[in-house]
Amino acid sequence: MGKGGGCVPSKTRQPPVSDDPVSDREAAPIPVHDDETNNMATTSLEPTIPAKLKIFIVFYSMYGHVEGLAKRMKKGVDGVEGVEALLYRVAETLSGDVLMKMKAPEKDVGIPEISAAELVNADGVVFGFPTRYGCMAAQMKSFFDSTGQLWKEQKLAGKPAGFFVSTGSQGGGQETTAWTAITQLTHHGMLFVPVGYTFGAGMFKMDTVRGGSPYGAGVYAGDGSREADETELALAEHQGKYMATVVKRLAQN
């Protein structure tokens, strides 16, 4: 071999084997079978789809006014990508005979009752209820009273929550009902999320009777015969969308 020349190996002579295993690997790539290639491509390119965030809409409705808001609110939540709403009703505390005398309609069997323990599965909660003398109805208060174990273990601390209500008249306590309900969230360490004035011009409509406040959506039921109008329902839908956006933002942080 000359000083600057290369050496051509003999056809009958095997090339020398390096003592460096890394060099061997670089010199001889590991063969990949077709099925392994497919698996690798699937693993690296297939997007990871996160589970949807869940907002529980938990309500009590005797004559259907709060339920109407709840169903429209679900539409708002479901309209936000990555978030879904689940409707639940709290248990009734009145007997069937009493409800019959009060001419209360049958409950929607498609909406399940919720137990207090299930609240831990929610990423956010919106509670809806009619007012009773400026406070939440006894059925909803009974549900909150059943959350003692969750309070003891602070299982709901940090969860966003909001309210929506129904009253009989404009002076029936749309805002005070929310004020008195905030104490329930405070003791649980939950984060109260009011809708504020994010509804824009809809919050200032004066041409029609309109329930709702910066604390949350609302409906005026009158003697029970008045149904929620489109403005009240639109505010409920907006509140659902707004709550979903807040919950999603908190989850991303």
Side-chain angles (χ1 to χ4, degrees), residues 90-109:
V90 301
E92 179 62 78
T93 60
L94 298 176
S95 68
D97 289 342
V98 171
L99 292 172
M100 186 178 298
K101 291 177 181 179
M102 297 179 72
K103 296 181 171 57
E106 294 290 331
K107 309 294 186 190
D108 184 348
V109 295

PDB file of all heavy atoms in Angstrom, residues 90-109:
ATOM      1  N   VAL A  90     -81.860  17.766  40.686  1.00  0.00           N
ATOM      2  CA  VAL A  90     -81.719  17.332  42.080  1.00  0.00           C
ATOM      3  C   VAL A  90     -83.005  16.627  42.491  1.00  0.00           C
ATOM      4  O   VAL A  90     -84.052  16.761  41.851  1.00  0.00           O
ATOM      5  CB  VAL A  90     -81.426  18.524  43.012  1.00  0.00           C
ATOM      6  CG1 VAL A  90     -80.141  19.234  42.600  1.00  0.00           C
ATOM      7  CG2 VAL A  90     -82.591  19.513  43.062  1.00  0.00           C
ATOM      8  N   ALA A  91     -82.920  15.873  43.552  1.00  0.00           N
ATOM      9  CA  ALA A  91     -84.062  15.076  43.997  1.00  0.00           C
ATOM     10  C   ALA A  91     -85.211  15.964  44.471  1.00  0.00           C
ATOM     11  O   ALA A  91     -84.993  17.031  45.066  1.00  0.00           O
ATOM     12  CB  ALA A  91     -83.625  14.138  45.111  1.00  0.00           C
ATOM     13  N   GLU A  92     -86.416  15.509  44.199  1.00  0.00           N
ATOM     14  CA  GLU A  92     -87.618  16.191  44.674  1.00  0.00           C
ATOM     15  C   GLU A  92     -87.829  15.856  46.152  1.00  0.00           C
ATOM     16  O   GLU A  92     -87.611  14.718  46.576  1.00  0.00           O
ATOM     17  CB  GLU A  92     -88.818  15.744  43.838  1.00  0.00           C
ATOM     18  CG  GLU A  92     -90.140  16.361  44.237  1.00  0.00           C
ATOM     19  CD  GLU A  92     -90.140  17.865  44.087  1.00  0.00           C
ATOM     20  OE1 GLU A  92     -90.281  18.371  42.957  1.00  0.00           O
ATOM     21  OE2 GLU A  92     -89.979  18.529  45.142  1.00  0.00           O
ATOM     22  N   THR A  93     -88.246  16.856  46.924  1.00  0.00           N
ATOM     23  CA  THR A  93     -88.497  16.618  48.348  1.00  0.00           C
ATOM     24  C   THR A  93     -89.991  16.609  48.683  1.00  0.00           C
ATOM     25  O   THR A  93     -90.367  16.254  49.797  1.00  0.00           O
ATOM     26  CB  THR A  93     -87.799  17.699  49.199  1.00  0.00           C
ATOM     27  OG1 THR A  93     -88.306  18.989  48.833  1.00  0.00           O
ATOM     28  CG2 THR A  93     -86.292  17.671  48.986  1.00  0.00           C
ATOM     29  N   LEU A  94     -90.813  17.003  47.717  1.00  0.00           N
ATOM     30  CA  LEU A  94     -92.257  17.003  47.950  1.00  0.00           C
ATOM     31  C   LEU A  94     -92.868  15.685  47.498  1.00  0.00           C
ATOM     32  O   LEU A  94     -92.372  15.048  46.563  1.00  0.00           O
ATOM     33  CB  LEU A  94     -92.916  18.158  47.186  1.00  0.00           C
ATOM     34  CG  LEU A  94     -92.483  19.575  47.587  1.00  0.00           C
ATOM     35  CD1 LEU A  94     -93.155  20.599  46.678  1.00  0.00           C
ATOM     36  CD2 LEU A  94     -92.806  19.849  49.045  1.00  0.00           C
ATOM     37  N   SER A  95     -93.937  15.313  48.142  1.00  0.00           N
ATOM     38  CA  SER A  95     -94.610  14.062  47.781  1.00  0.00           C
ATOM     39  C   SER A  95     -95.383  14.234  46.483  1.00  0.00           C
ATOM     40  O   SER A  95     -95.694  15.357  46.049  1.00  0.00           O
ATOM     41  CB  SER A  95     -95.579  13.648  48.895  1.00  0.00           C
ATOM     42  OG  SER A  95     -96.665  14.570  48.975  1.00  0.00           O
ATOM     43  N   GLY A  96     -95.720  13.123  45.880  1.00  0.00           N
ATOM     44  CA  GLY A  96     -96.491  13.147  44.651  1.00  0.00           C
ATOM     45  C   GLY A  96     -97.843  13.808  44.827  1.00  0.00           C
ATOM     46  O   GLY A  96     -98.312  14.525  43.933  1.00  0.00           O
ATOM     47  N   ASP A  97     -98.478  13.591  45.972  1.00  0.00           N
ATOM     48  CA  ASP A  97     -99.790  14.185  46.235  1.00  0.00           C
ATOM     49  C   ASP A  97     -99.707  15.704  46.286  1.00  0.00           C
ATOM     50  O   ASP A  97    -100.568  16.405  45.744  1.00  0.00           O
ATOM     51  CB  ASP A  97    -100.346  13.660  47.568  1.00  0.00           C
ATOM     52  CG  ASP A  97    -100.755  12.199  47.488  1.00  0.00           C
ATOM     53  OD1 ASP A  97    -100.928  11.701  46.350  1.00  0.00           O
ATOM     54  OD2 ASP A  97    -100.885  11.555  48.546  1.00  0.00           O
ATOM     55  N   VAL A  98     -98.662  16.203  46.936  1.00  0.00           N
ATOM     56  CA  VAL A  98     -98.497  17.656  47.033  1.00  0.00           C
ATOM     57  C   VAL A  98     -98.235  18.249  45.659  1.00  0.00           C
ATOM     58  O   VAL A  98     -98.806  19.279  45.295  1.00  0.00           O
ATOM     59  CB  VAL A  98     -97.346  17.998  48.005  1.00  0.00           C
ATOM     60  CG1 VAL A  98     -97.026  19.486  47.945  1.00  0.00           C
ATOM     61  CG2 VAL A  98     -97.712  17.597  49.426  1.00  0.00           C
ATOM     62  N   LEU A  99     -97.365  17.598  44.888  1.00  0.00           N
ATOM     63  CA  LEU A  99     -97.067  18.089  43.551  1.00  0.00           C
ATOM     64  C   LEU A  99     -98.311  18.095  42.665  1.00  0.00           C
ATOM     65  O   LEU A  99     -98.498  18.999  41.845  1.00  0.00           O
ATOM     66  CB  LEU A  99     -95.974  17.236  42.907  1.00  0.00           C
ATOM     67  CG  LEU A  99     -94.576  17.344  43.533  1.00  0.00           C
ATOM     68  CD1 LEU A  99     -93.637  16.308  42.916  1.00  0.00           C
ATOM     69  CD2 LEU A  99     -94.002  18.746  43.335  1.00  0.00           C
ATOM     70  N   MET A 100     -99.153  17.112  42.854  1.00  0.00           N
ATOM     71  CA  MET A 100    -100.385  17.038  42.066  1.00  0.00           C
ATOM     72  C   MET A 100    -101.305  18.201  42.417  1.00  0.00           C
ATOM     73  O   MET A 100    -101.905  18.843  41.542  1.00  0.00           O
ATOM     74  CB  MET A 100    -101.089  15.706  42.326  1.00  0.00           C
ATOM     75  CG  MET A 100    -102.312  15.467  41.442  1.00  0.00           C
ATOM     76  SD  MET A 100    -103.068  13.859  41.761  1.00  0.00           S
ATOM     77  CE  MET A 100    -101.708  12.771  41.316  1.00  0.00           C
ATOM     78  N   LYS A 101    -101.417  18.503  43.721  1.00  0.00           N
ATOM     79  CA  LYS A 101    -102.270  19.620  44.149  1.00  0.00           C
ATOM     80  C   LYS A 101    -101.721  20.961  43.669  1.00  0.00           C
ATOM     81  O   LYS A 101    -102.475  21.908  43.450  1.00  0.00           O
ATOM     82  CB  LYS A 101    -102.392  19.611  45.673  1.00  0.00           C
ATOM     83  CG  LYS A 101    -103.197  18.436  46.218  1.00  0.00           C
ATOM     84  CD  LYS A 101    -103.235  18.434  47.725  1.00  0.00           C
ATOM     85  CE  LYS A 101    -104.039  17.237  48.240  1.00  0.00           C
ATOM     86  NZ  LYS A 101    -104.077  17.181  49.724  1.00  0.00           N
ATOM     87  N   MET A 102    -100.390  21.015  43.498  1.00  0.00           N
ATOM     88  CA  MET A 102     -99.753  22.247  43.012  1.00  0.00           C
ATOM     89  C   MET A 102     -99.741  22.311  41.493  1.00  0.00           C
ATOM     90  O   MET A 102     -99.219  23.260  40.915  1.00  0.00           O
ATOM     91  CB  MET A 102     -98.318  22.337  43.553  1.00  0.00           C
ATOM     92  CG  MET A 102     -98.246  22.429  45.063  1.00  0.00           C
ATOM     93  SD  MET A 102     -96.555  22.507  45.693  1.00  0.00           S
ATOM     94  CE  MET A 102     -96.085  24.170  45.198  1.00  0.00           C
ATOM     95  N   LYS A 103    -100.321  21.270  40.865  1.00  0.00           N
ATOM     96  CA  LYS A 103    -100.405  21.192  39.404  1.00  0.00           C
ATOM     97  C   LYS A 103     -99.027  21.253  38.734  1.00  0.00           C
ATOM     98  O   LYS A 103     -98.861  21.850  37.662  1.00  0.00           O
ATOM     99  CB  LYS A 103    -101.309  22.292  38.853  1.00  0.00           C
ATOM    100  CG  LYS A 103    -102.766  22.171  39.307  1.00  0.00           C
ATOM    101  CD  LYS A 103    -103.609  23.276  38.713  1.00  0.00           C
ATOM    102  CE  LYS A 103    -105.097  23.034  38.986  1.00  0.00           C
ATOM    103  NZ  LYS A 103    -105.434  22.903  40.422  1.00  0.00           N
ATOM    104  N   ALA A 104     -98.046  20.638  39.370  1.00  0.00           N
ATOM    105  CA  ALA A 104     -96.696  20.572  38.808  1.00  0.00           C
ATOM    106  C   ALA A 104     -96.658  19.508  37.720  1.00  0.00           C
ATOM    107  O   ALA A 104     -97.169  18.400  37.913  1.00  0.00           O
ATOM    108  CB  ALA A 104     -95.684  20.243  39.893  1.00  0.00           C
ATOM    109  N   PRO A 105     -96.072  19.800  36.568  1.00  0.00           N
ATOM    110  CA  PRO A 105     -96.002  18.803  35.489  1.00  0.00           C
ATOM    111  C   PRO A 105     -95.035  17.678  35.836  1.00  0.00           C
ATOM    112  O   PRO A 105     -94.209  17.793  36.746  1.00  0.00           O
ATOM    113  CB  PRO A 105     -95.496  19.627  34.296  1.00  0.00           C
ATOM    114  CG  PRO A 105     -94.728  20.744  34.914  1.00  0.00           C
ATOM    115  CD  PRO A 105     -95.436  21.074  36.190  1.00  0.00           C
ATOM    116  N   GLU A 106     -95.129  16.589  35.087  1.00  0.00           N
ATOM    117  CA  GLU A 106     -94.228  15.455  35.287  1.00  0.00           C
ATOM    118  C   GLU A 106     -92.789  15.846  34.942  1.00  0.00           C
ATOM    119  O   GLU A 106     -92.548  16.676  34.064  1.00  0.00           O
ATOM    120  CB  GLU A 106     -94.652  14.275  34.400  1.00  0.00           C
ATOM    121  CG  GLU A 106     -95.996  13.675  34.760  1.00  0.00           C
ATOM    122  CD  GLU A 106     -95.961  12.925  36.077  1.00  0.00           C
ATOM    123  OE1 GLU A 106     -94.877  12.395  36.425  1.00  0.00           O
ATOM    124  OE2 GLU A 106     -97.007  12.882  36.754  1.00  0.00           O
ATOM    125  N   LYS A 107     -91.840  15.220  35.631  1.00  0.00           N
ATOM    126  CA  LYS A 107     -90.425  15.482  35.352  1.00  0.00           C
ATOM    127  C   LYS A 107     -90.020  14.818  34.045  1.00  0.00           C
ATOM    128  O   LYS A 107     -90.585  13.795  33.641  1.00  0.00           O
ATOM    129  CB  LYS A 107     -89.542  14.925  36.476  1.00  0.00           C
ATOM    130  CG  LYS A 107     -89.940  15.339  37.882  1.00  0.00           C
ATOM    131  CD  LYS A 107     -89.773  16.814  38.135  1.00  0.00           C
ATOM    132  CE  LYS A 107     -90.045  17.143  39.601  1.00  0.00           C
ATOM    133  NZ  LYS A 107     -90.136  18.592  39.864  1.00  0.00           N
ATOM    134  N   ASP A 108     -89.034  15.376  33.396  1.00  0.00           N
ATOM    135  CA  ASP A 108     -88.463  14.793  32.182  1.00  0.00           C
ATOM    136  C   ASP A 108     -87.610  13.594  32.594  1.00  0.00           C
ATOM    137  O   ASP A 108     -86.545  13.752  33.198  1.00  0.00           O
ATOM    138  CB  ASP A 108     -87.610  15.836  31.452  1.00  0.00           C
ATOM    139  CG  ASP A 108     -87.053  15.328  30.129  1.00  0.00           C
ATOM    140  OD1 ASP A 108     -87.127  14.113  29.865  1.00  0.00           O
ATOM    141  OD2 ASP A 108     -86.524  16.149  29.361  1.00  0.00           O
ATOM    142  N   VAL A 109     -88.060  12.398  32.276  1.00  0.00           N
ATOM    143  CA  VAL A 109     -87.362  11.186  32.702  1.00  0.00           C
ATOM    144  C   VAL A 109     -86.015  11.027  32.000  1.00  0.00           C
ATOM    145  O   VAL A 109     -85.176  10.225  32.408  1.00  0.00           O
ATOM    146  CB  VAL A 109     -88.229   9.932  32.442  1.00  0.00           C
ATOM    147  CG1 VAL A 109     -89.478   9.963  33.308  1.00  0.00           C
ATOM    148  CG2 VAL A 109     -88.603   9.815  30.966  1.00  0.00           C
TER     149      VAL A 109
END
